[in-house]
Every structure is written in structure tokens, then in C-alpha cells.
Amino acid sequence: MSTPEKGSSKKNNSASCVECKTHVEISYIPQNLCDRSLDEVFRHLQETQEFFCIVRSECLRDRLLQLLAWLAKKFGREVAEGVLIDLRLTHQEISEAMGITRITVTRLMCRLEQEGIIDRTRPQYIVLTSRL
């Protein structure tokens, strides 16, 4: 039986080295909370997949509608007119999320408002009407 060379790891040692290119914070998760933590990780992964499916949509109008519906599902609350997306989002922030220009978002939002699909009577608040 040979001994490991200097600098190599033993088979029993399960520690590994990871190099991070950005700031990383590590937290210890007790064994009794692992299942719940994994559920949260899987939920986050599913939401990320949903988001990527939205931003890959070809039609920009559909992409915006899907994004608004997704945000309404995550952050919305029922109001008399429909579902209020309870986030203060600028057109710039929406454009960055969608990968399009701010001007295009503004035009699309105006079009959706004219069609009665959204209501923006309060600045930076969006209500998805029941016509969606």
C-alpha cells in the first residue's frame, strides 16, 4: 500500500477547493433543515427556468405580457381592477430584464394600456386587468 504524495489528497478527505470569481457568502445548513433548503433551491431553479423561457419568447409584446403575468404571480395582489404588481418598476428596469430598449418597453406598455390589458393610472404601478 502506497502513501499519498505530498500535495495530493487522501481518499478519505472529502474537502474540495473552489475558486470564486465574485464575492460569495457561505452558510452552514443544519442537517434537519436540508430538505427544506433543497425545496427552496428547487423552487428558485424553477422560477429561473420560467424567467428564461419568458425572455426567449420571440414576440416582444408576448414577452412583456408573460413577464408581467410572471411578476403578478410572484408579487401581485388582487385589487378591484385586476392584479396589482406590487413592485415599483421603471421602464428601464423592465427593459433590462427583457433584453430590449427602454423605448420599446414604453411603446409596448402604451399599446397594452390602449388595449385595456394593463392599467397604469398610478405612476410605476401596473395592474393586469381581467382582460388578460
Side-chain angles (χ1 to χ4, degrees), residues 9-101:
S9 61
K10 296 180 183 178
K11 288 184 180 181
N12 296 0
N13 187 354
S14 63
S16 40
C17 179
V18 177
E19 180 181 350
C20 300
K21 300 294 183 184
T22 61
H23 174 75
V24 175
E25 187 174 311
I26 298 175
S27 300
Y28 170 75
I29 301 172
Q31 183 68 32
N32 62 335
L33 299 178
C34 279
D35 287 340
R36 187 169 47 184
S37 297
L38 281 176
D39 289 343
E40 288 297 312
V41 168
F42 289 134
R43 184 187 57 75
H44 182 70
L45 180 62
Q46 181 180 6
E47 289 175 354
T48 302
Q49 280 183 306
E50 290 171 1
F51 179 76
F52 284 133
C53 286
I54 290 168
V55 297
R56 287 181 31 217
S57 180
E58 297 264 339
C59 175
L60 296 181
R61 180 184 176 277
D62 291 347
R63 189 185 307 178
L64 178 58
L65 275 175
Q66 290 173 17
L67 178 65
L68 294 175
W70 185 74
L71 291 171
K73 185 174 83 172
K74 288 182 60 64
F75 305 104
R77 62 181 165 90
E78 295 287 330
V79 294
E81 301 85 12
V83 179
L84 171 67
I85 299 172
D86 211 0
L87 293 172
R88 297 190 72 163
L89 294 171
T90 65
H91 289 190
Q92 183 65 40
E93 291 167 330
I94 294 170
S95 74
E96 289 170 4
M98 292 180 61
I100 61 177
T101 66

Side-chain angles (χ1 to χ4, degrees), residues 103-117:
I103 294 169
T104 302
V105 168
T106 300
R107 288 181 183 150
L108 289 169
M109 295 287 269
C110 289
R111 185 169 147 198
L112 293 176
E113 192 168 20
Q114 289 169 350
E115 294 173 14
I117 294 173

